Amino acid sequence: MPIGIVIDFPGASARAKYQKSVQLLLKGRRKRLADWPVKGVLAHIAGPIPGGFRVIDVWESRAAFKRFGKTLAPVMKKVGMRGAKIKIFPLVRFIKT
């Protein structure tokens, strides 16, 4: 079952840290979902919010997101991303072109 993920990162430097984390995760590859280090991401959206930065993902399953978490956690630590608030919820509908 697909799941939605909302991650809010606090702080003025959250955007720069997000961009650095993407560079480390993609390792110079193109910026396509197929380039993600773990298969299973269906959508990725990111942008500024008041007081921080927000990432919204759709994953094909909780297990796929959990596999990605094993890759993501060390990268977040390396770039100094702390205090993230994560919300995970099942999706009833996901439509894409």
Side-chain angles (χ1 to χ4, degrees):
M1 167 187 293
I3 60 168
I5 310 288
V6 177
I7 307 173
D8 289 342
F9 298 100
S13 63
R15 180 179 184 157
K17 291 177 182 179
Y18 163 80
Q19 291 172 324
K20 180 64 176 171
S21 71
V22 169
Q23 289 174 347
L24 293 170
L25 285 168
L26 296 181
K27 298 179 182 173
R29 293 174 283 196
R30 296 177 151 198
K31 297 177 182 177
R32 300 176 304 143
L33 292 176
D35 294 329
W36 240 240
V38 174
K39 300 302 178 206
V41 63
L42 303 175
H44 178 79
I45 303 158
I49 58 172
F53 202 74
R54 176 172 285 164
V55 173
I56 302 170
D57 280 355
V58 175
W59 285 84
E60 66 184 20
S61 67
R62 188 176 284 266
F65 178 67
K66 190 174 179 178
R67 285 190 305 271
F68 178 62
K70 291 178 183 179
T71 302
L72 179 62
V75 170
M76 287 178 58
K77 184 176 181 179
K78 183 174 185 171
V79 300
M81 292 184 93
R82 294 182 182 87
K85 295 180 183 175
I86 302 174
K87 297 176 189 172
I88 301 173
F89 55 96
L91 296 181
V92 174
R93 177 175 292 163
F94 174 62
I95 300 171
K96 64 179 184 174
T97 58

Coordinates of all heavy atoms in Angstrom, one line a residue:
M1 N 0.8 -1.2 0.0 CA 0.0 0.0 0.0 C 0.9 1.2 0.0 O 1.8 1.3 0.8 CB -0.9 0.0 1.3 CG -1.5 1.3 1.5 SD -2.5 1.5 3.0 CE -3.8 0.4 2.7
P2 N 0.6 2.2 -0.9 CA 1.4 3.4 -0.9 C 1.2 4.2 0.4 O 0.2 4.2 1.0 CB 0.9 4.2 -2.1 CG -0.2 3.4 -2.7 CD -0.4 2.2 -1.9
I3 N 2.3 4.9 0.7 CA 2.2 5.8 1.9 C 2.7 7.2 1.5 O 3.5 7.4 0.6 CB 3.1 5.3 3.1 CG1 4.6 5.2 2.7 CG2 2.5 3.9 3.6 CD1 5.5 4.9 3.8
G4 N 2.2 8.2 2.3 CA 2.7 9.6 2.2 C 3.6 9.9 3.3 O 3.4 9.4 4.4
I5 N 4.6 10.7 3.1 CA 5.5 11.1 4.1 C 5.6 12.6 4.0 O 5.8 13.2 3.0 CB 7.0 10.5 3.8 CG1 6.9 9.0 3.5 CG2 7.9 10.9 4.9 CD1 6.7 8.2 4.7
V6 N 5.5 13.2 5.2 CA 5.7 14.7 5.3 C 6.8 14.9 6.3 O 6.7 14.4 7.5 CB 4.5 15.4 5.7 CG1 4.8 16.9 5.9 CG2 3.3 15.2 4.7
I7 N 7.9 15.5 5.9 CA 9.0 15.8 6.9 C 9.3 17.3 6.9 O 9.5 17.9 5.9 CB 10.3 15.0 6.4 CG1 10.1 13.5 6.2 CG2 11.4 15.2 7.5 CD1 11.2 12.8 5.6
D8 N 9.2 17.8 8.1 CA 9.5 19.2 8.3 C 10.8 19.4 9.0 O 11.0 18.8 10.1 CB 8.4 19.9 9.1 CG 7.1 20.0 8.4 OD1 7.1 20.0 7.1 OD2 6.0 20.2 9.0
F9 N 11.7 20.2 8.4 CA 13.0 20.4 9.0 C 13.0 21.9 9.5 O 12.7 22.8 8.7 CB 14.1 20.3 7.9 CG 14.2 18.9 7.4 CD1 13.6 18.5 6.2 CD2 14.8 17.9 8.1 CE1 13.7 17.3 5.7 CE2 14.9 16.6 7.6 CZ 14.4 16.3 6.4
P10 N 13.3 22.1 10.8 CA 13.3 23.5 11.3 C 14.6 24.2 11.0 O 15.6 23.6 10.8 CB 13.1 23.3 12.8 CG 13.8 21.9 13.0 CD 13.5 21.1 11.8
G11 N 14.5 25.5 11.0 CA 15.7 26.3 10.9 C 15.9 27.0 9.6 O 15.5 26.6 8.5
A12 N 16.6 28.2 9.7 CA 16.9 29.0 8.5 C 17.9 28.3 7.5 O 17.8 28.6 6.4 CB 17.6 30.3 9.0
S13 N 18.7 27.4 8.0 CA 19.7 26.7 7.1 C 19.1 25.4 6.6 O 19.9 24.6 5.9 CB 21.0 26.5 7.9 OG 20.8 25.6 9.0
A14 N 17.9 25.1 6.9 CA 17.3 23.8 6.5 C 17.3 23.6 4.9 O 17.6 22.5 4.5 CB 15.9 23.6 7.0
R15 N 17.1 24.6 4.2 CA 17.1 24.5 2.7 C 18.5 24.1 2.2 O 18.6 23.2 1.4 CB 16.6 25.8 2.1 CG 16.6 25.7 0.6 CD 16.1 27.0 -0.1 NE 16.1 26.8 -1.5 CZ 15.3 27.6 -2.3 NH1 14.5 28.5 -1.8 NH2 15.3 27.4 -3.6
A16 N 19.5 24.8 2.7 CA 20.9 24.5 2.2 C 21.3 23.1 2.6 O 21.9 22.3 1.9 CB 21.9 25.5 2.8
K17 N 20.9 22.7 3.8 CA 21.2 21.3 4.3 C 20.4 20.3 3.5 O 21.0 19.2 3.1 CB 20.9 21.1 5.8 CG 21.8 21.9 6.6 CD 21.4 21.8 8.1 CE 22.3 22.7 9.0 NZ 22.0 22.6 10.4
Y18 N 19.2 20.6 3.1 CA 18.4 19.7 2.2 C 19.2 19.5 0.9 O 19.3 18.4 0.4 CB 17.0 20.2 2.0 CG 16.3 19.6 0.8 CD1 15.8 18.3 0.9 CD2 16.3 20.2 -0.4 CE1 15.2 17.7 -0.2 CE2 15.7 19.6 -1.5 CZ 15.2 18.4 -1.4 OH 14.6 17.8 -2.5
Q19 N 19.6 20.6 0.3 CA 20.2 20.6 -1.0 C 21.5 19.8 -1.0 O 21.8 19.0 -1.9 CB 20.5 22.0 -1.5 CG 19.2 22.7 -1.9 CD 19.3 24.2 -2.3 OE1 20.1 24.9 -1.7 NE2 18.5 24.6 -3.2
K20 N 22.3 19.9 0.1 CA 23.5 19.2 0.3 C 23.2 17.7 0.4 O 23.9 16.8 -0.1 CB 24.3 19.7 1.5 CG 25.6 18.9 1.8 CD 26.6 19.1 0.7 CE 27.9 18.5 1.0 NZ 28.8 18.4 -0.1
S21 N 22.1 17.4 1.2 CA 21.8 16.0 1.3 C 21.4 15.3 0.0 O 21.7 14.2 -0.3 CB 20.6 15.8 2.4 OG 19.4 16.3 1.9
V22 N 20.7 16.1 -0.8 CA 20.3 15.5 -2.2 C 21.6 15.3 -3.0 O 21.7 14.2 -3.7 CB 19.4 16.5 -2.9 CG1 19.2 16.1 -4.4 CG2 18.0 16.5 -2.2
Q23 N 22.5 16.2 -2.9 CA 23.8 16.0 -3.7 C 24.5 14.7 -3.2 O 25.0 13.9 -4.0 CB 24.8 17.1 -3.5 CG 24.3 18.4 -4.2 CD 25.3 19.6 -3.8 OE1 26.0 19.5 -2.8 NE2 25.1 20.7 -4.5
L24 N 24.5 14.5 -1.9 CA 25.1 13.3 -1.3 C 24.3 12.0 -1.7 O 24.9 11.0 -2.0 CB 25.3 13.4 0.2 CG 26.3 14.5 0.7 CD1 26.2 14.6 2.2 CD2 27.7 14.1 0.3
L25 N 23.0 12.1 -1.6 CA 22.2 10.9 -1.9 C 22.3 10.5 -3.4 O 22.4 9.3 -3.7 CB 20.7 11.2 -1.6 CG 20.4 11.1 -0.1 CD1 19.0 11.7 0.2 CD2 20.5 9.7 0.5
L26 N 22.2 11.5 -4.3 CA 22.2 11.2 -5.7 C 23.6 11.0 -6.3 O 23.8 10.5 -7.4 CB 21.5 12.3 -6.5 CG 20.0 12.4 -6.2 CD1 19.3 13.5 -7.0 CD2 19.3 11.1 -6.3
K27 N 24.6 11.4 -5.6 CA 26.0 11.2 -6.0 C 26.3 11.6 -7.4 O 26.9 10.9 -8.2 CB 26.4 9.8 -5.8 CG 26.3 9.4 -4.3 CD 26.7 7.9 -4.1 CE 26.5 7.6 -2.6 NZ 26.7 6.2 -2.3
G28 N 25.8 12.8 -7.8 CA 26.1 13.3 -9.2 C 25.2 12.7 -10.3 O 25.4 13.1 -11.4
R29 N 24.3 11.9 -9.9 CA 23.4 11.3 -10.9 C 22.4 12.4 -11.3 O 22.2 13.4 -10.6 CB 22.7 10.0 -10.4 CG 23.7 8.9 -10.3 CD 23.1 7.7 -9.6 NE 23.0 8.0 -8.2 CZ 22.7 7.2 -7.3 NH1 22.5 5.9 -7.6 NH2 22.6 7.5 -6.0
R30 N 21.6 12.1 -12.3 CA 20.5 13.0 -12.7 C 19.5 13.1 -11.6 O 19.5 12.3 -10.7 CB 19.9 12.5 -14.0 CG 20.8 12.5 -15.1 CD 20.1 12.0 -16.3 NE 20.6 12.6 -17.5 CZ 20.1 12.6 -18.6 NH1 18.9 12.0 -18.8 NH2 20.7 13.1 -19.7
K31 N 18.6 14.0 -11.7 CA 17.6 14.3 -10.7 C 16.3 13.7 -11.1 O 15.3 14.3 -11.1 CB 17.5 15.8 -10.4 CG 18.8 16.4 -9.9 CD 18.7 17.8 -9.7 CE 20.0 18.4 -9.2 NZ 20.0 19.8 -9.1
R32 N 16.3 12.4 -11.3 CA 15.1 11.6 -11.6 C 14.8 10.7 -10.5 O 15.7 10.2 -9.8 CB 15.3 10.8 -12.9 CG 15.6 11.7 -14.1 CD 15.8 10.9 -15.4 NE 16.9 9.9 -15.1 CZ 16.9 8.7 -15.6 NH1 16.0 8.2 -16.3 NH2 17.9 7.9 -15.3
L33 N 13.5 10.3 -10.3 CA 13.2 9.3 -9.3 C 13.9 8.0 -9.5 O 14.3 7.3 -8.5 CB 11.7 9.1 -9.3 CG 10.8 10.3 -8.8 CD1 9.4 10.0 -8.9 CD2 11.2 10.7 -7.4
A34 N 14.2 7.6 -10.7 CA 14.9 6.4 -11.0 C 16.4 6.5 -10.5 O 17.0 5.4 -10.3 CB 14.9 6.1 -12.5
D35 N 16.9 7.7 -10.2 CA 18.2 7.8 -9.7 C 18.3 7.7 -8.2 O 19.4 7.7 -7.6 CB 18.8 9.2 -10.1 CG 19.0 9.3 -11.6 OD1 19.2 8.3 -12.2 OD2 18.8 10.5 -12.1
W36 N 17.2 7.6 -7.5 CA 17.2 7.5 -6.0 C 17.9 6.3 -5.6 O 17.9 5.3 -6.3 CB 15.7 7.4 -5.6 CG 15.3 8.5 -4.6 CD1 14.9 8.3 -3.3 CD2 15.2 9.9 -4.9 NE1 14.6 9.5 -2.8 CE2 14.8 10.5 -3.7 CE3 15.5 10.7 -6.0 CZ2 14.6 11.9 -3.6 CZ3 15.4 12.1 -5.9 CH2 14.9 12.6 -4.7
P37 N 18.6 6.3 -4.5 CA 19.5 5.2 -4.1 C 18.7 4.0 -3.7 O 19.3 2.9 -3.6 CB 20.3 5.8 -2.9 CG 19.4 6.9 -2.4 CD 18.7 7.5 -3.6
V38 N 17.4 4.1 -3.4 CA 16.6 3.0 -3.1 C 15.3 3.1 -3.9 O 14.7 4.1 -4.1 CB 16.2 3.1 -1.6 CG1 15.2 2.0 -1.2 CG2 17.4 3.0 -0.7
K39 N 14.9 1.9 -4.5 CA 13.7 1.9 -5.3 C 12.5 2.0 -4.5 O 12.5 1.6 -3.4 CB 13.7 0.6 -6.2 CG 14.9 0.5 -7.1 CD 15.1 1.6 -8.0 CE 16.3 1.5 -8.9 NZ 16.8 2.8 -9.3
G40 N 11.4 2.6 -5.1 CA 10.2 2.6 -4.4 C 9.6 4.0 -4.2 O 8.4 4.1 -3.8
V41 N 10.3 5.1 -4.5 CA 9.8 6.4 -4.4 C 9.0 6.7 -5.6 O 9.4 6.5 -6.7 CB 10.9 7.5 -4.1 CG1 11.9 7.6 -5.3 CG2 10.3 8.8 -3.8
L42 N 7.7 7.2 -5.4 CA 6.8 7.5 -6.5 C 6.7 9.0 -6.8 O 6.4 9.4 -7.9 CB 5.5 6.9 -6.2 CG 5.4 5.4 -5.9 CD1 4.0 5.0 -5.5 CD2 5.9 4.6 -7.1
A43 N 7.0 9.8 -5.8 CA 7.0 11.3 -5.9 C 7.8 11.9 -4.8 O 7.9 11.4 -3.7 CB 5.5 11.8 -5.8
H44 N 8.4 13.0 -5.2 CA 9.3 13.8 -4.2 C 9.0 15.3 -4.5 O 9.2 15.7 -5.6 CB 10.7 13.4 -4.4 CG 11.6 14.2 -3.5 ND1 11.8 13.9 -2.2 CD2 12.4 15.3 -3.7 CE1 12.6 14.7 -1.6 NE2 13.0 15.6 -2.5
I45 N 8.6 16.0 -3.4 CA 8.4 17.4 -3.5 C 9.1 18.1 -2.3 O 9.0 17.5 -1.2 CB 6.8 17.7 -3.4 CG1 6.1 16.9 -4.5 CG2 6.5 19.1 -3.5 CD1 4.6 16.7 -4.2
A46 N 9.7 19.2 -2.6 CA 10.3 19.9 -1.5 C 10.3 21.4 -1.7 O 10.3 21.9 -2.8 CB 11.8 19.5 -1.4
G47 N 10.1 22.1 -0.5 CA 10.1 23.6 -0.6 C 10.1 24.2 0.7 O 9.9 23.5 1.8
P48 N 10.3 25.5 0.7 CA 10.4 26.3 2.0 C 9.0 26.4 2.7 O 8.0 26.5 2.0 CB 10.9 27.6 1.6 CG 10.5 27.8 0.2 CD 10.5 26.4 -0.4
I49 N 9.0 26.4 4.0 CA 7.9 26.7 4.8 C 8.3 27.7 5.8 O 9.5 27.9 6.1 CB 7.3 25.5 5.5 CG1 8.3 24.8 6.4 CG2 6.7 24.5 4.4 CD1 7.8 23.6 7.2
P50 N 7.4 28.4 6.5 CA 7.8 29.4 7.5 C 8.6 28.7 8.6 O 8.2 27.6 9.1 CB 6.4 29.9 8.1 CG 5.5 29.7 6.9 CD 5.9 28.5 6.2
G51 N 9.8 29.1 8.8 CA 10.7 28.6 9.8 C 11.4 27.3 9.5 O 12.0 26.7 10.3
G52 N 11.4 27.0 8.2 CA 12.1 25.7 7.8 C 11.9 25.3 6.4 O 11.8 26.1 5.5
F53 N 11.9 24.0 6.2 CA 11.9 23.4 4.9 C 11.0 22.1 5.0 O 11.1 21.4 6.0 CB 13.3 23.0 4.4 CG 13.4 22.9 2.9 CD1 13.4 24.0 2.1 CD2 13.5 21.7 2.3 CE1 13.5 23.9 0.7 CE2 13.6 21.5 1.0 CZ 13.6 22.7 0.1
R54 N 10.2 21.8 4.0 CA 9.3 20.6 4.0 C 9.6 19.7 2.8 O 9.8 20.2 1.7 CB 7.9 21.1 4.0 CG 6.9 19.9 3.9 CD 5.5 20.4 4.0 NE 5.3 20.7 5.5 CZ 4.2 21.4 5.9 NH1 3.3 21.9 5.1 NH2 4.1 21.6 7.2
V55 N 9.6 18.4 3.1 CA 9.7 17.4 2.1 C 8.5 16.6 2.1 O 8.0 16.1 3.2 CB 11.0 16.5 2.3 CG1 11.0 15.4 1.3 CG2 12.3 17.3 2.2
I56 N 7.9 16.3 0.9 CA 6.7 15.4 0.8 C 7.1 14.3 -0.2 O 7.5 14.6 -1.3 CB 5.5 16.2 0.4 CG1 5.2 17.4 1.3 CG2 4.3 15.3 0.2 CD1 4.1 18.3 0.8
D57 N 6.9 13.1 0.3 CA 7.2 12.0 -0.6 C 6.0 11.0 -0.7 O 5.2 11.0 0.3 CB 8.4 11.1 0.0 CG 9.7 11.7 -0.3 OD1 9.8 12.7 -1.1 OD2 10.7 11.1 0.2
V58 N 5.9 10.3 -1.7 CA 5.0 9.2 -1.8 C 5.9 7.9 -2.1 O 6.8 8.0 -3.0 CB 4.0 9.3 -3.0 CG1 3.1 8.1 -3.1 CG2 3.1 10.6 -2.7
W59 N 5.7 6.9 -1.3 CA 6.5 5.7 -1.4 C 5.6 4.5 -1.7 O 4.4 4.5 -1.3 CB 7.3 5.4 -0.2 CG 8.5 6.3 -0.1 CD1 8.5 7.5 0.4 CD2 9.8 6.0 -0.5 NE1 9.8 8.1 0.3 CE2 10.6 7.1 -0.2 CE3 10.4 4.9 -1.1 CZ2 12.0 7.1 -0.6 CZ3 11.7 4.9 -1.4 CH2 12.5 6.0 -1.1
E60 N 6.0 3.5 -2.5 CA 5.2 2.4 -2.8 C 4.8 1.6 -1.6 O 3.7 0.9 -1.6 CB 5.8 1.5 -3.9 CG 7.0 0.8 -3.4 CD 7.7 0.0 -4.6 OE1 7.4 0.3 -5.7 OE2 8.5 -0.9 -4.2
S61 N 5.6 1.6 -0.5 CA 5.2 0.9 0.7 C 6.1 1.4 1.9 O 7.1 2.1 1.7 CB 5.6 -0.6 0.5 OG 7.0 -0.8 0.4
R62 N 5.6 1.1 3.1 CA 6.4 1.4 4.3 C 7.7 0.8 4.3 O 8.7 1.3 4.7 CB 5.6 1.0 5.5 CG 6.1 1.5 6.8 CD 5.3 1.2 8.0 NE 4.1 2.0 8.0 CZ 4.0 3.1 8.8 NH1 5.0 3.5 9.5 NH2 2.8 3.8 8.8
A63 N 7.8 -0.5 3.8 CA 9.1 -1.2 3.7 C 10.1 -0.5 2.8 O 11.3 -0.4 3.1 CB 8.8 -2.6 3.2
A64 N 9.6 0.1 1.7 CA 10.5 0.8 0.8 C 11.1 2.0 1.5 O 12.2 2.4 1.4 CB 9.8 1.1 -0.5
F65 N 10.2 2.8 2.2 CA 10.6 4.0 2.9 C 11.6 3.6 4.0 O 12.6 4.3 4.2 CB 9.4 4.7 3.4 CG 9.9 6.0 4.2 CD1 10.5 7.0 3.6 CD2 9.7 6.0 5.6 CE1 10.9 8.2 4.3 CE2 10.1 7.1 6.3 CZ 10.7 8.2 5.6
K66 N 11.4 2.5 4.7 CA 12.3 2.0 5.7 C 13.6 1.7 5.2 O 14.7 2.1 5.8 CB 11.7 0.8 6.4 CG 12.4 0.4 7.7 CD 11.7 -0.7 8.4 CE 12.4 -1.1 9.6 NZ 11.7 -2.2 10.3
R67 N 13.7 1.1 4.0 CA 15.0 0.8 3.3 C 15.7 2.2 3.0 O 16.9 2.3 3.2 CB 14.8 0.0 2.1 CG 14.5 -1.4 2.3 CD 14.6 -2.3 1.0 NE 13.7 -1.8 0.0 CZ 12.4 -2.2 -0.2 NH1 11.9 -3.0 0.6 NH2 11.7 -1.7 -1.2
F68 N 15.0 3.1 2.5 CA 15.5 4.4 2.2 C 16.0 5.1 3.5 O 17.1 5.8 3.5 CB 14.5 5.3 1.6 CG 15.0 6.7 1.3 CD1 16.1 6.9 0.4 CD2 14.4 7.8 1.8 CE1 16.5 8.2 0.1 CE2 14.8 9.1 1.5 CZ 15.9 9.3 0.7
G69 N 15.3 4.9 4.6 CA 15.7 5.5 5.9 C 17.1 5.1 6.3 O 17.9 5.9 6.9
K70 N 17.5 3.9 6.0 CA 18.8 3.4 6.3 C 19.9 4.1 5.6 O 21.0 4.3 6.0 CB 18.9 1.9 6.1 CG 18.1 1.1 7.0 CD 18.2 -0.4 6.7 CE 17.2 -1.2 7.6 NZ 17.3 -2.6 7.3
T71 N 19.6 4.6 4.4 CA 20.5 5.4 3.5 C 20.5 6.8 4.0 O 21.5 7.5 4.0 CB 20.2 5.2 2.0 OG1 20.2 3.9 1.7 CG2 21.1 6.0 1.2
L72 N 19.3 7.3 4.2 CA 19.1 8.7 4.5 C 19.6 9.2 5.9 O 20.2 10.2 6.0 CB 17.5 9.1 4.5 CG 17.1 10.5 4.8 CD1 17.8 11.4 3.8 CD2 15.6 10.6 4.8
A73 N 19.5 8.3 6.9 CA 19.9 8.7 8.3 C 21.3 9.2 8.4 O 21.6 10.2 8.9 CB 19.6 7.6 9.3
P74 N 22.3 8.4 7.8 CA 23.7 8.9 7.9 C 23.9 10.2 7.2 O 24.8 11.0 7.6 CB 24.5 7.7 7.3 CG 23.6 6.6 7.2 CD 22.2 7.1 7.2
V75 N 23.2 10.4 6.1 CA 23.4 11.6 5.3 C 22.8 12.8 6.1 O 23.5 13.9 6.1 CB 22.7 11.5 3.9 CG1 22.6 12.8 3.2 CG2 23.4 10.5 3.0
M76 N 21.7 12.6 6.7 CA 21.1 13.7 7.5 C 22.0 14.1 8.7 O 22.2 15.2 9.0 CB 19.7 13.3 8.0 CG 18.7 13.3 7.0 SD 17.1 12.8 7.5 CE 16.7 13.9 8.8
K77 N 22.6 13.1 9.3 CA 23.6 13.3 10.3 C 24.8 14.1 9.8 O 25.3 15.0 10.5 CB 24.0 12.0 11.0 CG 24.9 12.2 12.2 CD 25.2 10.8 12.8 CE 26.1 11.0 14.0 NZ 26.4 9.8 14.7
K78 N 25.3 13.7 8.7 CA 26.5 14.3 8.1 C 26.3 15.8 7.8 O 27.2 16.6 8.0 CB 26.9 13.6 6.8 CG 28.2 14.1 6.2 CD 28.6 13.2 5.1 CE 30.0 13.7 4.5 NZ 30.5 12.8 3.5
V79 N 25.1 16.1 7.3 CA 24.8 17.5 6.9 C 24.3 18.3 8.1 O 24.0 19.5 8.0 CB 23.9 17.7 5.7 CG1 24.5 17.0 4.5 CG2 22.5 17.1 5.9
G80 N 24.0 17.7 9.2 CA 23.6 18.4 10.4 C 22.1 18.7 10.5 O 21.6 19.6 11.1
M81 N 21.3 17.9 9.8 CA 19.8 18.0 9.8 C 19.3 17.3 11.1 O 19.3 16.1 11.1 CB 19.2 17.5 8.6 CG 19.5 18.2 7.3 SD 18.7 17.6 5.8 CE 17.2 18.7 5.8
R82 N 18.8 18.2 12.0 CA 18.3 17.6 13.2 C 16.9 18.2 13.5 O 16.5 19.2 13.0 CB 19.2 18.0 14.4 CG 20.6 17.4 14.3 CD 21.4 17.7 15.5 NE 22.7 17.1 15.4 CZ 23.8 17.7 14.7 NH1 23.6 18.9 14.1 NH2 24.9 17.1 14.7
G83 N 16.2 17.5 14.4 CA 14.9 18.0 14.8 C 13.7 17.8 13.8 O 12.7 18.5 13.8
A84 N 13.9 16.9 12.8 CA 12.9 16.7 11.8 C 11.6 16.1 12.4 O 11.7 15.3 13.3 CB 13.4 15.7 10.7
K85 N 10.5 16.6 12.0 CA 9.2 16.0 12.4 C 8.6 15.3 11.2 O 8.4 15.8 10.1 CB 8.2 17.2 12.8 CG 8.7 17.9 14.0 CD 7.8 19.0 14.4 CE 8.3 19.8 15.6 NZ 7.5 20.9 15.9
I86 N 8.4 14.0 11.4 CA 8.0 13.1 10.3 C 6.6 12.6 10.6 O 6.3 12.1 11.7 CB 9.0 11.9 10.2 CG1 10.4 12.3 10.0 CG2 8.5 10.9 9.1 CD1 11.4 11.2 10.0
K87 N 5.8 12.7 9.5 CA 4.4 12.1 9.6 C 4.3 11.1 8.4 O 4.6 11.4 7.3 CB 3.4 13.3 9.4 CG 3.4 14.3 10.5 CD 2.4 15.4 10.2 CE 2.6 16.5 11.2 NZ 1.8 17.7 10.8
I88 N 3.8 9.9 8.8 CA 3.6 8.9 7.8 C 2.1 8.5 7.8 O 1.6 8.3 8.9 CB 4.5 7.6 8.1 CG1 5.9 8.0 8.1 CG2 4.2 6.5 7.1 CD1 6.9 6.9 8.6
F89 N 1.5 8.4 6.6 CA 0.1 8.1 6.6 C -0.2 7.2 5.3 O 0.5 7.4 4.3 CB -0.7 9.3 6.6 CG -0.4 10.3 5.5 CD1 -1.1 10.3 4.3 CD2 0.6 11.2 5.7 CE1 -0.8 11.3 3.3 CE2 0.9 12.1 4.7 CZ 0.2 12.2 3.5
P90 N -1.2 6.3 5.4 CA -1.5 5.5 4.3 C -2.3 6.4 3.2 O -3.0 7.3 3.6 CB -2.5 4.4 4.8 CG -3.0 5.0 6.1 CD -2.0 6.0 6.6
L91 N -2.1 6.1 2.0 CA -2.8 6.8 0.9 C -4.0 6.0 0.4 O -3.9 4.8 0.2 CB -1.8 7.1 -0.2 CG -0.6 8.0 0.1 CD1 0.2 8.2 -1.2 CD2 -1.0 9.3 0.6
V92 N -5.0 6.7 0.3 CA -6.3 6.2 -0.3 C -6.2 6.3 -1.8 O -6.7 5.5 -2.5 CB -7.5 6.9 0.3 CG1 -8.8 6.4 -0.4 CG2 -7.6 6.7 1.8
R93 N -5.6 7.4 -2.2 CA -5.5 7.7 -3.7 C -4.2 8.4 -4.0 O -3.8 9.3 -3.3 CB -6.7 8.6 -4.1 CG -6.6 8.9 -5.6 CD -7.8 9.7 -6.0 NE -9.0 8.8 -6.0 CZ -10.2 9.1 -6.0 NH1 -10.5 10.4 -6.0 NH2 -11.2 8.3 -5.9
F94 N -3.6 8.0 -5.1 CA -2.4 8.6 -5.6 C -2.5 8.6 -7.1 O -2.6 7.5 -7.8 CB -1.1 7.9 -5.2 CG 0.1 8.5 -5.8 CD1 0.5 9.8 -5.6 CD2 0.9 7.7 -6.6 CE1 1.6 10.3 -6.2 CE2 2.1 8.2 -7.2 CZ 2.4 9.5 -7.0
I95 N -2.6 9.8 -7.8 CA -2.8 9.9 -9.2 C -1.6 10.6 -9.8 O -1.2 11.6 -9.2 CB -4.1 10.6 -9.5 CG1 -5.3 9.9 -8.9 CG2 -4.3 10.8 -11.0 CD1 -6.6 10.7 -9.0
K96 N -1.1 10.1 -10.8 CA 0.0 10.7 -11.5 C -0.2 10.6 -13.0 O -1.0 9.8 -13.5 CB 1.4 10.2 -11.1 CG 1.6 8.7 -11.5 CD 3.0 8.3 -11.0 CE 3.2 6.9 -11.5 NZ 4.5 6.4 -11.2
T97 N 0.6 11.4 -13.8 CA 0.4 11.4 -15.2 C 1.2 10.3 -15.8 O 2.1 9.8 -15.2 CB 0.9 12.7 -15.8 OG1 2.2 13.0 -15.5 CG2 0.0 13.8 -15.4

